[in-house]
Amino acid sequence: RSSGGGFEDLFSAFGGQSGGGATGRRSSKGEDQNSDLTVDLAASYTGNTRKFTLNMPVQTSHGRDYQSKTIEVKIPKGITEGQKIRLAKQGSPSPYGGEAGDLYLTIKFAHADNLKIEGKDVFQTVDIAPWEAVFGAKIDVNTPAGKVTVSVPKKSRTGTKLRLKGKGIPAPNPKTEGGDLYLSLNIVLPTLAEDEKRSEEQRQAWQFLHDAFSDFVPKR
C-alpha cells in the first residue's frame, strides 16, 4: 500500500467503544470509537499524512444512518505498530447535542514478506550467492532505511545476522533511541541458464564443486 496521499475507505461503520463514550443521559459526549489503521512501514521512518473517507454514524429522523466524511491523519515519524493516534471529536456524535466522541486508530504496518518488526527493531532477510558467503563480499541492500552497503563476512552461513545500529524505526525525538536493523543472510542457489551451451558450462562447474568436496557430508 502507498503511504502517500490519496483517499481510502477506512471502514464502513465504526466498531468498538473505548469506554469514554456516553453511558446514559448523565453524559452528553458521543461514544469514542476504535479502528485499525494500516500504513506502509516507510511512514514510520519519515512521517506522513494520509486522507481517509469515513462512513460516520449520524442520527436522522428515520433513525441511525451513515454519512461520508473525509479526514486527514498525520502519521508521526517513529511511530510503532500497536500505538494509537487520537482524533478528537471524530467518533460518534452525541445523541444529546454535546460533543462527538474521539476516534482512536491503532497502527498496523504493511511491509514486504522478508521483513519482520519487533518494537522498534526491524529484521530483514537478504539473499546472497554461495560465493559471496564463502569469500565474503560488499553488497548493496534496499532496506526500509534506504539503500545501504554492507560487508558479508567470509564463511557466512544461512542465518548469519548483521546488525545495523540505528537503522531500525527511528526515534521520535533526539532524546530517545531508535531501533536497529538486523539483516539475516540467506544463501540461495542460482538457476541454470536457458541457453544450452551456457547451461552445460554451469553444470560442469557444479560437477567440479561436487568432486572437489566429495568428502563433505552435510548434517541431515
Side-chain angles (χ1 to χ4, degrees):
R1 301 182 181 180
S2 171
S3 61
F7 294 93
E8 181 173 329
D9 187 7
L10 186 56
F11 37 73
S12 59
F14 288 124
Q17 184 175 346
S18 69
T23 57
R25 291 188 179 274
R26 292 174 297 173
S27 174
S28 61
K29 183 181 177 182
E31 292 182 357
D32 291 345
Q33 300 293 337
N34 295 275
S35 184
D36 292 339
L37 175 59
T38 301
V39 298
D40 286 345
L41 177 60
S44 182
Y45 276 79
T46 60
N48 216 316
T49 300
R50 300 280 297 272
K51 287 184 179 181
F52 297 95
T53 299
L54 305 178
N55 290 322
M56 304 184 67
V58 294
Q59 289 296 131
T60 68
S61 58
H62 303 290
R64 192 178 178 119
D65 200 356
Y66 294 93
Q67 185 177 66
S68 179
K69 181 178 181 180
T70 298
I71 62 174
E72 193 170 76
V73 182
K74 182 178 180 180
I75 312 298
K77 178 181 177 180
I79 198 167
T80 56
E81 194 165 48
Q83 282 191 290
K84 292 180 181 289
I85 296 176
R86 173 178 173 263
L87 301 180
K89 301 179 184 179
Q90 298 294 341
S92 295
S94 168
Y96 311 114
E99 288 186 351
D102 298 332
L103 171 60
Y104 291 87
L105 301 176
T106 302
I107 292 297
K108 304 290 183 183
F109 285 142
H111 53 76
D113 291 339
N114 67 332
L115 294 174
K116 183 177 71 171
I117 296 93
E118 294 182 4
K120 288 186 174 296
D121 292 334
V122 179
F123 298 81
Q124 179 174 345
T125 301
V126 178
D127 292 341
I128 61 172
W131 45 88
E132 292 173 332
V134 173
F135 300 112
K138 285 189 178 296
I139 60 173
D140 292 331
V141 182
N142 291 313
T143 76
K147 181 177 287 188
V148 298
T149 300
V150 296
S151 295
V152 175
K154 292 181 179 179
K155 301 180 181 179
S156 290
R157 296 176 177 269
T158 289
T160 297
K161 287 185 171 56
L162 308 179
R163 179 188 178 208
L164 279 63
K165 184 174 176 58
K167 295 294 186 180
I169 292 176
N173 61 70
K175 295 183 179 180
T176 57
E177 291 187 1
D180 297 331
L181 173 63
Y182 294 87
L183 303 181
S184 180
L185 303 181
N186 179 48
I187 301 172
V188 294
L189 299 179
T191 57
L192 294 177
E194 294 184 3
D195 177 77
E196 185 175 348
K197 181 177 182 300
R198 182 63 177 153
S199 175
E200 181 57 31
E201 291 174 345
Q202 292 171 344
R203 289 178 187 276
Q204 291 176 8
W206 285 117
Q207 184 63 47
F208 175 81
L209 286 175
H210 174 271
D211 296 340
F213 290 93
S214 59
D215 57 345
F216 172 67
V217 179
K219 292 181 180 181
R220 310 290 186 187

